[in-house]
Amino acid sequence: MEYCPLVKNILLLDSEGGRIAVKYYSDDWPTNNAKEAFEKSIFTKTHKINARTEAEITMLDSNVVLYKFVQDLHFFVTGGDSENELILSTVLQGFFDAVGILLRGNLNKREALENLDLILLCLDEIIDGGIILETDANVIAGKVASHSVDSAAPLSEQTISQALATAREHFTRSLLSG
Amino acid sequence: MAQYVKKDDDLDEEAEYSPFSGIDKGAVLQEARCFNDAQIDSRRCSQVITKLLYLLNQGETFTKTEATEVFFSVTKLFQAKDTGLRRMTYLIIKELSPSSDEVIIVTSSLMKDMNSKTDVYRANAIRVLCRITDGTLLTQIERYLKQAIVDKNPVVASAALVSGIHLLQTNPEIVKRWSNEVQEAVQSRAALVQFHALALLQQIRQNDRLAVSKLVTSLTKGTVRSPLAQCLLIRYTSQVIRESSMNGQNGDRPFYDYLEGCLRHKSEMVIFEAARAITELSGVTSRELTPAITVLQLFLSSSKPVLRFAAVRTLNKVAMTHPMAVTTCNIDMESLISDQNRSIATLAITTLLKTGNESGVDRLMKQITSFMSDIADEFKIVVVDAIRSLCLKFPLKFRTLMNFLSNILREEGGFEYKKAIVDSIVTIISDIPDAKETGLLHLCEFIEDCEFTYLSTQILHFLGIEGPKTSDPSKYIRYIYNRVILENATVRASAVSTLAKFGAMVDSLKPRIFVLLRRCLYDNDDEVRDRATLYLNTIGGDGSVVETDKDVKGFLFGRLDLPLANLEASLKNYEPSEEPFDINSVPKETKAQPFAEKKSAAKKPTGLGAPPVAPTSTADSYEKLLLSIPEFSSFGKLFKSSAPVELTESETEYEVNVVKHIFDQHVVFQYNCTNTIPEQLLEDVTIVVDASEAEEFEEVATKPLKSLPYGTPGQTFVAFEKPEGVPAVGKFSNVLRFIVKEVDPSTGEAEDGVEDEYQLEEFEVVAADYMLKVGVSNFRNAWESLGPDFERVDEYGLGPRESLKEAVSAVINLLGMQPCEGTEVVAANSRSHTCLLSGVYIGNVKVAVRLSFGVDSAKEVAMKLAVRSEDATVSDAIHELVAN
């Protein structure tokens, strides 16, 4: 496994550092306490930083951590000390954008929790046991949403921007399948 | 999930609204019974699974019974046709990780899905089944997996390949049978399938060097579609390069052109991977390095923090080995000092500190001063460490650097940070004699207002050792006595000890110290009073306690030559009786750390830019160790101890290295042995040395090692006599001889042993072993003071060399002398270089060497060697070293 790019964890935390969805692929944090301690220290270290336009990066306990925030959602991807930062950055961007598509542009904690099933499936499509499965956000979201119950929600309940997002999503999907 | 959707205006009323608020494990487990309903409600079941996954994700655990119960009801959901529900079913099965007897229940359902017409089912069923399966089941499904690897749907193929990578860890023999299919998948047109196939194929063949080399050769010529696969290929290529260079090929490095070509790839990920691979090539030349540095330099001014970080982190590493190659980036690097991302700024600073030249130090320090105020302590520590090594590299600049350190010492900061600064000042004082007085005064000022008791006591102790040796010891007394007046009891007590040391060492101060110590007799803490009383009586010299001055000094300054842990153990065993505790009964041998602990300590340095290792003095500990052995105690003063020379390859049964200790008339070889076999205990370990190729040496003593258990290093010694003061050389071959006993690792009981031998590699004592690396802060002064009387100058041709840099370091190693003023660093592409060395030759003869190198277009290196020393024969000896 030493040559294959590996992801150690992917975290989606809220604006207080609480868990929305997390997934660990490495034995570095064997217990839930260790995981929570890691989440706490990375959140404390990064929450004041403006990582809203470009993904930011830092080191923690000889791991490289990349992060990007939007509203009250904090996205993190962790890799080993010697991992190629740009590979990790692609994973973070894929996750971030895929969640954006799945939540139809409404990126906030409440929306994320209401669609937690989609977020969990999204994580499942990005990484399998630390190995990168897919990094293209449209493909990831396409795989998750192709059987989402939610896409059947009546258009009248959607705002205009949601409707646009849905339309865009349908468009990309049709491009991909075609 | 329509059920959860609320109108937007609810948000204000219920800011903390969460669909999972008030969720309860018991209630959710109750709800999970709906999985068993005859008519499955897909939407409801999906929601319950989401709730279960939410609980698991929050760290909730299910008991064995709960998990089993949920698992069994989940298996019923395979009857439902809803795709969304099926996906959630797969997810929860993976999270529940059922035991092998439970797995059987879902195997047939999953196998059915594996052969389904729906691609999503096939791909996911493969991933789930491979995750939960064991070896026996794997043989049943192997056929389907092989098919899946070459499936025309890329998602299915990737699922099978990634599962294969995981299974290779547990069932390698099965996965290895798939290599034909994997080989086919490497040629896939789907980008990610190629990536996953490449990852698996390399792992299947990783022990077959030739196969990996072939794979790399064919792929580097062909087309690799995804950037990820390209990165992987670059990593394999570096591995092949590493292994082929070990075969000692010369000429152009194989595959270098491929790596360089990748620098022009359209994906930044690949460009960076290639640049990093080039910088990590062993023995990389500056010509090879240049294109990689150029692309990294472009990254430095990127708008993306990730790119800047990746580039600066790589350049920082390059700066440790090739500082000159990175200087071209200095301007971009300087602008990064003000980078918003503090990790990037710190890496930029430390890189600049490594690459900077002597003249740039002042300017750099100005920039750092403004930067220091707005970064976190952890980054400041990295900077302080870098400044310490800079100061040791450019001793002449110690004033600027010391001022900087003392300024930041006065500012706010946490304990770790202050400790790093104090440690740095102490290191600088110990290494640069000129810096001592200013450094001590800075420390004195610091303890005037220091909130950390630990640091105050450490500094007071250090003052007690160094202060009395300075030109005007009296000026420190005020600072020390202030501690007695102002501080807490711990600091007061150490201040009393420090005062006493001044009193004992400096006669002129004795009466004044006495006055101060007498005042301490009225302190309200008993430790302070006791110490004052003790010291007054000992240095008071009224004859009652200690007779001579020497004893006083021994008592006050003498170090406890005992490992504290051993002393503690002995004291615990001591039963109070008439017989006093005998400190000589405490064992002096240190117990080695347990093996596992040692291994973890050997892990790579952590944190930002791995701080440089502080120079430590092992000479002291060697000297003590040798003097504690009666056979060697008459050899006199230890002149030099070499670095350990490995006599075995790493990871052999017994690992042995040797340290050469040089005395005036003797040499002692210290063999450090480690037994790496848990089932063996070695006893009566000796080294049989054949010195037939070292005529001037005569074996005089050996000290065998009684027992060498697994994992605990031990030492055995062999001593030789040699002509006094003569740098005798020779070659020694060695055999490890011992009695080996089988040990049951679980009980630790040993059986009877048999004698055995183990051949070790040979080593030489060379002239450089008689040269002590002693630096001088001002080479010119040292050179002038030695005078031209015993100067010897000659020119030598060194023949064609790999590079000028290589030639310079070869000569430095040959002479075993200390490079001065950073002259060991050779500028990239320079045609000539001057290197200044200093040292002390056996017999305490100071030696200074000026080396001038020149290289021509055919890489022929010529060298002019000028030696000055205090003895003509020594100057000649240095020339002989080179001439041979």
Side-chain angles (χ1 to χ4, degrees):
Chain A
M1 304 276 269
E2 56 187 311
Y3 290 99
C4 194
L6 288 180
V7 172
K8 287 193 176 183
N9 68 40
I10 297 192
L11 315 174
L12 176 55
L13 305 180
D14 66 18
S15 54
E16 263 99 52
R19 270 184 200 168
I20 294 171
V22 298
K23 196 81 187 125
Y24 286 80
Y25 310 100
S26 134
D27 304 331
D28 294 10
W29 305 276
T31 63
N32 189 51
N33 283 346
K35 292 180 175 123
E36 279 178 347
F38 176 80
E39 286 156 30
K40 189 166 190 290
S41 46
I42 192 63
F43 182 79
T44 325
K45 194 171 168 139
T46 59
H47 73 283
K48 285 195 192 117
I49 290 165
N50 182 6
R52 287 168 194 275
T53 44
E54 290 285 355
E56 280 288 346
I57 181 165
T58 189
M59 301 280 297
L60 183 71
D61 307 332
S62 66
N63 286 311
V64 180
V65 187
L66 284 90
Y67 52 99
K68 193 168 183 185
F69 306 154
V70 61
Q71 299 212 37
D72 51 1
L73 294 180
H74 293 216
F75 295 75
F76 299 88
V77 168
T78 306
D81 184 30
S82 53
E83 196 47 80
N84 180 332
E85 293 90 340
L86 302 180
I87 294 182
L88 296 175
S89 148
T90 317
V91 174
L92 176 69
Q93 199 62 43
F95 179 41
F96 184 90
D97 291 346
V99 171
I101 296 172
L102 291 168
L103 300 184
R104 301 169 190 185
N106 293 327
L107 282 156
N108 57 57
K109 178 185 174 183
R110 173 178 164 174
E111 201 72 24
L113 282 173
E114 279 174 357
N115 295 288
L116 187 67
D117 52 343
L118 300 185
I119 308 252
L120 292 171
L121 286 174
C122 179
L123 285 171
D124 189 56
E125 291 293 354
I126 297 173
I127 303 288
D128 183 295
I131 297 172
I132 299 166
L133 273 183
E134 179 58 76
T135 57
D136 184 317
N138 288 313
V139 179
I140 298 165
K143 284 205 242 171
V144 173
S146 62
H147 35 70
S148 145
V149 192
D150 215 13
S151 52
L155 273 168
S156 60
E157 275 189 33
Q158 298 177 3
T159 63
I160 300 225
S161 67
Q162 277 174 319
L164 277 174
T166 318
R168 194 168 58 227
E169 182 194 328
H170 280 293
F171 178 66
T172 44
R173 222 183 300 150
S174 65
L175 271 183
L176 282 167
S177 55
Chain B
M1 286 187 197
Q3 185 189 315
Y4 296 145
V5 175
K6 289 199 174 186
K7 290 270 154 51
D8 273 354
D9 46 4
D10 283 359
L11 259 176
D12 303 70
E13 296 156 26
E14 223 178 321
E16 277 303 298
Y17 165 79
S18 151
F20 300 103
S21 57
I23 193 168
D24 172 62
K25 182 172 91 169
V28 178
L29 288 172
Q30 284 284 335
E31 276 187 80
R33 294 199 178 152
C34 72
F35 300 161
N36 297 317
D37 291 353
Q39 202 63 34
I40 292 169
D41 179 346
S42 304
R43 176 163 296 186
R44 178 146 179 251
C45 291
S46 284
Q47 283 160 4
V48 176
I49 293 180
T50 310
K51 284 184 191 170
L52 287 166
L53 288 169
Y54 173 82
L55 286 173
L56 287 168
N57 217 293
Q58 294 296 320
E60 185 77 69
T61 48
F62 293 161
T63 64
K64 183 81 189 101
T65 346
E66 285 166 349
T68 311
E69 202 167 304
V70 171
F71 177 74
F72 277 114
S73 27
V74 161
T75 58
K76 306 265 168 50
L77 297 177
F78 278 98
Q79 291 161 19
K81 297 276 171 273
D82 186 279
T83 348
L85 177 59
R86 186 65 59 86
R87 287 296 317 271
M88 296 309 283
T89 312
Y90 294 140
L91 217 49
I92 187 86
I93 291 177
K94 280 201 269 189
E95 288 299 325
L96 288 172
S97 47
S99 61
S100 55
D101 48 334
E102 293 169 352
V103 168
I104 300 164
I105 316 278
V106 280
T107 309
S108 61
S109 306
L110 285 170
M111 276 168 74
K112 207 172 123 212
D113 281 359
M114 264 175 73
N115 295 299
S116 150
K117 287 206 173 59
T118 321
D119 294 334
V120 183
Y121 282 5
R122 283 216 303 286
N124 281 290
I126 289 170
R127 285 172 58 197
V128 177
L129 199 51
C130 291
R131 172 72 60 86
I132 60 178
T133 194
D134 60 6
T136 48
L137 187 61
L138 196 56
T139 43
Q140 288 179 44
I141 57 167
E142 189 185 356
R143 192 162 53 93
Y144 304 113
L145 290 174
K146 279 170 139 177
Q147 267 171 27
I149 289 173
V150 289
D151 196 295
K152 62 181 186 303
N153 182 301
V155 182
V156 177
S158 280
L161 288 163
V162 171
S163 299
I165 297 174
H166 294 307
L167 288 170
L168 192 65
Q169 317 297 321
T170 48
N171 294 289
E173 65 296 336
I174 294 177
V175 180
K176 279 182 182 158
R177 292 202 290 256
W178 308 347
S179 67
N180 283 339
E181 284 78 12
V182 181
Q183 183 90 50
E184 199 181 322
V186 170
Q187 307 303 329
S188 164
R189 297 179 58 82
L192 282 154
V193 174
Q194 193 180 36
F195 164 59
H196 293 130
L198 197 53
L200 181 54
L201 190 62
Q202 190 273 344
Q203 281 181 43
I204 291 177
R205 300 195 172 160
Q206 61 184 343
N207 295 320
D208 184 351
R209 210 181 272 180
L210 198 66
V212 176
S213 174
K214 265 190 198 155
L215 180 70
V216 167
T217 312
S218 71
L219 284 173
T220 48
K221 287 181 195 132
T223 44
V224 175
R225 283 177 191 83
S226 87
L228 279 171
Q230 195 90 27
C231 287
L232 211 48
L233 186 55
I234 291 171
R235 292 183 189 185
Y236 301 157
T237 308
S238 317
Q239 184 203 3
V240 172
I241 293 177
R242 251 198 316 279
E243 282 165 0
S244 64
S245 68
M246 283 199 291
N247 301 338
Q249 284 189 8
N250 41 10
D252 277 351
R253 210 187 278 272
F255 300 117
Y256 173 80
D257 289 344
Y258 166 71
L259 291 182
E260 206 209 333
C262 287
L263 294 175
R264 291 182 292 275
H265 197 271
K266 60 182 188 303
S267 160
E268 285 163 343
M269 183 196 289
V270 176
I271 299 176
F272 174 67
E273 187 73 44
R276 199 172 64 159
I278 291 175
T279 63
E280 286 169 1
L281 291 174
S282 64
V284 63
T285 65
S286 41
R287 191 170 55 88
E288 289 170 326
L289 212 45
T290 312
I293 301 287
T294 310
V295 298
L296 290 174
Q297 185 173 6
L298 285 175
F299 283 180
L300 287 180
S301 44
S302 159
S303 65
K304 292 184 191 155
V306 176
L307 270 177
R308 296 199 299 273
F309 177 90
V312 76
R313 193 157 77 111
T314 308
L315 290 170
N316 187 297
K317 282 196 195 121
V318 179
M320 290 185 198
T321 47
H322 297 82
M324 300 315 285
V326 186
T327 46
T328 48
C329 307
N330 276 2
I331 295 177
D332 303 87
M333 206 70 90
E334 279 179 31
S335 61
L336 289 184
I337 294 179
S338 51
D339 199 297
Q340 285 296 311
N341 184 316
R342 292 288 131 198
S343 307
I344 295 174
T346 314
L347 284 166
I349 288 268
T350 48
T351 313
L352 284 168
L353 289 173
K354 280 173 202 144
T355 57
N357 50 14
E358 195 148 7
S359 54
V361 169
D362 296 290
R363 194 165 54 95
L364 195 56
M365 294 318 289
K366 255 186 214 135
Q367 280 174 307
I368 298 178
T369 313
S370 58
F371 158 85
M372 284 302 265
S373 54
D374 54 20
I375 55 169
D377 273 10
E378 54 172 316
F379 294 136
K380 291 181 183 171
I381 293 171
V382 179
V383 175
V384 168
D385 283 339
I387 287 178
R388 176 179 56 198
S389 20
L390 185 71
C391 192
L392 297 177
K393 191 165 133 201
F394 301 123
L396 287 179
K397 285 289 167 197
F398 79 87
R399 272 192 191 84
T400 318
L401 297 168
M402 188 70 98
N403 268 334
F404 174 80
L405 289 176
S406 77
N407 282 336
I408 55 173
L409 194 53
R410 269 182 238 127
E411 278 156 25
E412 287 296 301
F415 172 72
E416 289 298 331
Y417 172 46
K418 291 284 162 100
K419 183 168 177 294
I421 304 174
V422 170
D423 285 349
S424 297
I425 295 183
V426 168
T427 314
I428 293 170
I429 292 175
S430 320
D431 274 50
I432 306 169
D434 293 346
K436 189 190 276 182
E437 305 233 346
T438 36
L440 286 179
L441 277 175
H442 287 314
L443 291 178
C444 282
E445 269 162 37
F446 172 59
I447 53 172
E448 287 278 37
D449 184 22
C450 170
E451 55 187 308
F452 305 107
T453 302
Y454 173 83
L455 288 179
S456 293
T457 52
Q458 292 293 309
I459 291 173
L460 282 169
H461 177 77
F462 186 68
L463 266 179
I465 296 167
E466 295 294 337
K469 298 181 204 157
T470 55
S471 58
D472 182 14
S474 65
K475 66 180 170 199
Y476 303 104
I477 302 296
R478 178 170 64 86
Y479 296 103
I480 301 168
Y481 188 67
N482 279 347
R483 307 279 68 70
V484 178
I485 306 170
L486 298 168
E487 298 279 357
N488 63 41
T490 316
V491 179
R492 289 204 302 278
S494 38
V496 167
S497 298
T498 307
L499 281 178
K501 283 178 191 168
F502 275 81
M505 297 290 282
V506 188
D507 283 336
S508 59
L509 287 176
K510 218 181 229 178
R512 286 151 70 189
I513 298 277
F514 272 27
V515 176
L516 297 176
L517 283 180
R518 278 200 200 95
R519 286 189 202 161
C520 301
L521 290 175
Y522 304 102
D523 195 283
N524 51 20
D525 183 84
D526 52 359
E527 171 73 20
V528 180
R529 287 197 307 272
D530 287 355
R531 284 197 190 194
T533 316
L534 174 71
Y535 291 129
L536 275 172
N537 284 312
T538 43
I539 10 178
D542 51 8
S544 55
V545 181
V546 177
E547 300 286 319
T548 61
D549 239 14
K550 203 177 164 221
D551 283 343
V552 173
K553 281 176 194 161
F555 174 72
L556 292 174
F557 293 102
R559 285 202 194 153
L560 197 58
D561 282 346
L562 301 167
L564 284 178
N566 295 3
L567 179 61
E568 187 186 346
S570 301
L571 280 170
K572 275 185 185 152
N573 290 336
Y574 173 71
E575 283 175 23
S577 64
E578 287 296 301
E579 200 177 317
F581 177 74
D582 182 8
I583 198 151
N584 294 323
S585 66
V586 180
K588 289 189 181 179
E589 278 159 33
T590 40
K591 278 218 182 84
Q593 293 169 321
F595 216 42
E597 204 176 304
K598 204 177 114 203
K599 274 197 178 150
S600 68
K603 259 190 171 178
K604 275 196 271 178
T606 55
L608 278 167
V613 181
T616 50
S617 155
T618 46
D620 268 5
S621 55
Y622 279 142
E623 183 157 18
K624 261 181 225 156
L625 178 71
L626 292 171
L627 285 177
S628 70
I629 300 166
E631 288 92 329
F632 310 143
S633 55
S634 60
F635 289 178
K637 191 165 165 40
L638 176 65
F639 177 73
K640 185 191 177 176
S641 300
S642 74
V645 181
E646 297 296 336
L647 300 182
T648 54
E649 310 219 330
S650 60
E651 289 168 28
T652 48
E653 298 99 306
Y654 314 113
E655 291 175 6
V656 181
N657 64 45
V658 65
V659 178
K660 297 172 271 186
H661 300 291
I662 310 289
F663 291 86
D664 208 26
Q665 287 184 47
H666 299 88
V667 289
V668 174
F669 300 133
Q670 172 187 339
Y671 296 88
N672 299 311
C673 313
T674 311
N675 169 11
T676 63
I677 308 176
E679 297 82 18
Q680 285 192 1
L681 169 70
L682 306 190
E683 290 193 340
D684 290 326
V685 182
T686 52
I687 306 277
V688 181
V689 185
D690 174 9
S692 53
E693 287 179 73
E695 286 158 6
E696 287 175 282
F697 293 89
E698 194 186 334
E699 188 170 325
V700 288
T702 57
K703 186 173 187 300
L705 179 63
K706 278 225 173 58
S707 116
L708 183 65
Y710 160 70
T712 312
Q715 295 103 23
T716 162
F717 300 85
V718 180
F720 284 84
E721 194 169 39
K722 65 169 191 64
E724 181 174 358
V726 172
V729 296
K731 197 184 265 182
F732 300 83
S733 43
N734 314 280
V735 176
L736 184 70
R737 184 172 290 171
F738 48 82
I739 294 170
V740 56
K741 291 186 171 179
E742 295 292 319
V743 179
D744 184 339
S746 54
T747 61
E749 279 170 34
E751 291 166 22
D752 287 346
V754 284
E755 257 189 59
D756 201 359
E757 284 186 352
Y758 188 80
Q759 183 68 42
L760 302 175
E761 286 175 29
E762 53 186 33
F763 66 92
E764 286 180 81
V765 170
V766 293
D769 287 327
Y770 297 99
M771 178 69 78
L772 213 51
K773 280 188 179 184
V774 177
V776 287
S777 56
N778 188 331
F779 185 84
R780 201 187 162 80
N781 282 352
W783 182 258
E784 297 301 334
S785 70
L786 282 169
D789 296 351
F790 302 117
E791 181 171 332
R792 298 284 184 274
V793 185
D794 209 344
E795 288 183 13
Y796 300 89
L798 301 180
R801 308 296 294 211
E802 197 177 296
S803 67
L804 189 58
K805 180 177 149 59
E806 187 268 335
V808 171
S809 72
V811 175
I812 293 174
N813 284 336
L814 176 72
L815 295 177
M817 296 175 72
Q818 176 69 42
C820 300
E821 302 175 13
T823 53
E824 74 275 26
V825 182
V826 183
N829 299 327
S830 62
R831 322 279 336 153
S832 65
H833 183 74
T834 301
C835 181
L836 309 172
L837 304 173
S838 80
V840 172
Y841 205 58
I842 191 161
N844 262 334
V845 184
K846 277 193 198 123
V847 186
V849 166
R850 220 182 249 270
L851 288 165
S852 310
F853 292 87
V855 62
D856 67 9
S857 53
K859 293 206 166 181
E860 291 272 349
V861 177
M863 175 181 79
K864 181 175 155 192
L865 168 68
V867 185
R868 283 186 179 185
S869 78
E870 294 166 327
D871 186 334
T873 56
V874 172
S875 298
D876 290 332
I878 306 290
H879 274 280
E880 269 168 41
L881 263 177
V882 176
N884 297 331

